[in-house]
Amino acid sequence: IPRVSGATLINLLLDLNQFEYQGWAEGDVEQALRDLQTMIGNRHTNKQLPFSIDEEAIQRVMGYVQRGIEKVSGGEEDMSKRSGKNVAPEKMIPCLFPPGTCIHFYRDGSGIDGTYVTCTFFDEIDVARTMFDDHLISSGYRKIFLNMMRDFHKDDHFSFERGRT
């Protein structure tokens, strides 16, 4: 699982650039118009609204929407002219090499342990069932650091709120 890095952000932008959103946007607008048409109903049942939306009005608005989206997106022809070719740029391979000294905390069967690792240790991440809980502040990191401080101070009653007892 890649982490957020420069390569990950570039890949996100490439994915967004290649996403064909025009059909989805048109569908969203048409659905909103049809929902509005249903809400308004006809003039006989909803007397406070002086207008109604018929099929012709929906099609007319959709024509405006389609032309507007095409103008904003630049159309398919402009997209290939801007990139200079019809092939999408290659994605980068994300990797994570955190700076400094790394301590990897892990479950060892009877509790949680930690060891110094090289920074390249995190170029891949193994997914485990306990991973989500391990990375929450209160049940994961706080518990790990509390146990470390209790071991360091040789005080089973150490707490961050009170300091050493």
Side-chain angles (χ1 to χ4, degrees), residues 97-108:
F97 298 115
T101 305
C102 294
I103 302 174
H104 176 228
F105 295 107
Y106 55 91
R107 293 180 187 235
D108 64 1

Side-chain angles (χ1 to χ4, degrees), residues 53-74:
I53 299 177
D54 59 7
E55 187 62 30
E56 181 184 334
I58 289 176
Q59 294 308 316
R60 190 172 42 238
V61 170
M62 289 308 299
Y64 296 136
V65 168
Q66 289 164 351
R67 286 190 297 278
I69 289 174
E70 190 173 306
K71 184 177 180 180
V72 169
S73 69

Side-chain angles (χ1 to χ4, degrees), residues 73-87:
S73 69
E76 290 182 26
E77 295 131 16
D78 286 352
M79 185 74 82
S80 62
K81 287 178 189 174
R82 277 186 268 145
S83 65
K85 51 187 169 183
N86 290 329
V87 182

Side-chain angles (χ1 to χ4, degrees), residues 105-108 110-114 134 139-140 143-144 147:
F105 295 107
Y106 55 91
R107 293 180 187 235
D108 64 1
S110 62
I112 297 175
D113 203 355
D134 291 346
S139 61
K143 185 177 177 181
I144 291 169
N147 288 337

